[in-house]
Amino acid sequence: MGKIKDSLILKLILGVGIGLVVGLYCNETVIGVIQSIKFILGQLISFTVPLIILGFIAPAITKMKSNASKMLGLMLMLAYFSSVGAALFSMVAGFILIPKMHIVPNVEGLKHLPELIFKVEIPPPFTVMTALVLALFLGLAVVWTQSENFERLLDEFNNIMLKIVYMIIIPILPFFIASTFATLAYEGGITKQLPVFLKVVIIVLIGHFIWLTVLYSIGGAVSGKNPFNLLKFYGPAYLTAVGTMSSAATLPVALSCAKKSGALDEDIADFAIPLGATVHLCGSVLTEVFFVMTVSQVLYGHLPAFGTMILFIVLLGIFAVGAPGVPGGTVMASLGIIISVLGFDENGVALMLTIFALQDSFGTACNVVGDGALALILNGVFKKEKQKA
């Protein structure tokens, strides 16, 4: 019973439902208050985004120092190209499928939203791009100088940001989402689009399984082993990821599944599975790309330009590196480029947070199972090198 009560998915669904009901039946005064609450919650979330980027990515870089080898380089390259490949696959599917859904944008016949009753601006300490560059520079500098004190400081900052996310950001998300859906329902358009988002979630789930098939086929070809001998052991890890929405929380189970299969060398499993949980986000990235295209069509009446999507995907692969471990972490870490590259406004960001979070457990499960495929590729490459030696 306690698990159901603490379920983020349940809270988000409840937030959507309450928001829709309140928005459909409330008056102008009430919606003015709700709008003001939404603005403040949105400001709090925006304030933490650069700090999350700094607190997640810099420590992740320092932890890689002991594995700064060809194996590390190859694993990082595989993780990045898997994520970007999944995103490109999703983009192509988006350009083909979304126009056929006949989505009518919410731009006509809407109620006018009243002015905010109160407004408190909370500007972030620095921009998202500043946070990314600072995280990269700090992480690399700590590795180069072997500064143990600063490394411990970054680890502490990582723990602090995790606590802020879990104790502040995640608890306010249902309220932010409820207030957002209340304003959208008050305007009068969002209720017509709910069937569209249900279709989109099903399409994305099918996309996950297609991409996992691609990854495990490549893993089997490179390693010379039957990939199903590894994949069939991943059931418990998939279910754990669906339940926790966290690659980090699923890591012990995933490692146990990978080792139990016998398809991987133990040293490869010990290295690749934990690292993959940190840097490999194929399922989450695939989902986010399809969703941003859908939200753009729903709210703004058009799909993003092809060149804009390519730039977004290239940057998304970088931004996602520090995201695992937190429910919705990928979209949280990439809010900056959703706003700056795609031009989403507050409603677009809120809608992205909502539909992404509602299926985030399945994206995480795809990430976790995909780690096994990358480990299989790594196992094949380095086993061949050992045989040559």
Side-chain angles (χ1 to χ4, degrees), residues 43 68 85 114 142-143 228-229 289 312 348 372 379:
Q43 289 283 294
V142 167
V143 172
F228 186 70
N229 290 337
V289 168
F312 176 75
N379 201 89

Side-chain angles (χ1 to χ4, degrees), residues 31-37 39 113-120:
I31 205 67
V33 174
I34 291 172
Q35 257 199 297
S36 301
I37 293 170
F39 179 81
L113 288 170
E115 294 292 323
L116 296 178
I117 292 177
F118 52 89
K119 184 176 180 180
V120 179

Side-chain angles (χ1 to χ4, degrees), residues 51-348:
L51 298 175
I52 289 169
I53 292 170
L54 180 61
F56 282 35
I57 293 180
I61 293 171
T62 63
K63 286 179 175 64
M64 294 173 186
K65 62 178 181 180
S66 59
N67 298 312
S69 62
K70 285 194 292 183
M71 191 180 291
L72 172 63
L74 179 58
M75 184 62 184
L76 290 174
M77 185 179 72
L78 288 173
Y80 181 78
F81 281 109
S82 171
S83 295
V84 170
L88 291 172
F89 165 65
S90 183
M91 179 193 73
V92 171
F95 279 123
I96 293 171
L97 297 176
I98 293 173
K100 294 180 180 178
M101 293 182 184
H102 305 296
I103 297 171
V104 180
N106 297 331
V107 292
E108 294 180 1
L110 304 181
K111 282 186 187 176
H112 176 69
L113 288 170
E115 294 292 323
L116 296 178
I117 292 177
F118 52 89
K119 184 176 180 180
V120 179
E121 292 190 6
I122 311 171
F126 36 77
T127 67
V128 170
M129 286 307 296
T130 299
L132 177 62
V133 174
L134 183 60
L136 292 173
F137 280 15
L138 279 179
L140 290 170
V142 167
V143 172
W144 293 334
T145 59
Q146 298 181 345
S147 176
E148 294 180 2
N149 290 333
F150 211 88
E151 183 179 349
R152 281 195 293 270
L153 181 64
L154 288 176
D155 284 339
E156 285 296 318
F157 185 57
N158 177 261
N159 290 333
I160 289 168
M161 288 313 303
L162 275 173
K163 187 61 71 174
I164 287 174
V165 168
Y166 278 113
M167 300 301 291
I168 299 176
I169 302 303
I170 289 176
I172 69 174
L173 271 179
F175 298 98
F176 180 56
I177 284 162
S179 61
T180 298
F181 269 79
T183 57
L184 291 172
Y186 179 83
E187 286 180 301
I190 189 61
T191 51
K192 298 174 185 176
Q193 302 297 354
L194 288 177
V196 171
F197 291 122
L198 291 176
K199 290 178 188 175
V200 167
V201 169
I202 293 170
I203 290 170
V204 163
L205 287 176
I206 293 170
H208 289 168
F209 292 117
I210 292 173
W211 190 250
L212 287 175
T213 301
V214 170
L215 287 182
Y216 273 89
S217 297
I218 295 171
V222 173
S223 65
K225 295 183 177 181
N226 183 352
F228 186 70
N229 290 337
L230 174 60
L231 185 59
K232 67 183 180 183
F233 283 90
Y234 257 96
Y238 189 91
L239 292 176
T240 304
V242 168
T244 63
M245 293 191 290
S246 169
S247 298
T250 309
L251 180 55
V253 180
L255 200 52
S256 171
C257 292
K259 288 186 173 185
K260 204 178 289 184
S261 72
L264 301 172
D265 291 352
E266 192 162 327
D267 57 338
I268 295 288
D270 286 337
F271 169 79
I273 303 302
L275 182 58
T278 306
V279 299
H280 185 220
L281 292 157
C282 60
S284 298
V285 167
L286 184 152
T287 300
E288 182 169 340
V289 168
F290 201 87
F291 279 4
V292 295
M293 295 176 76
T294 304
V295 169
S296 180
Q297 183 69 44
V298 167
L299 291 185
Y300 312 124
H302 60 83
L303 294 173
F306 179 80
T308 301
M309 283 305 303
I310 294 295
L311 174 61
F312 176 75
I313 286 168
V314 171
L315 291 174
L316 181 60
I318 299 170
F319 271 73
V321 168
V326 178
T330 309
V331 74
M332 289 285 287
S334 62
L335 283 182
I337 55 172
I338 288 175
I339 295 166
S340 60
V341 176
L342 299 179
F344 276 28
D345 60 14
E346 203 173 71
N347 284 342

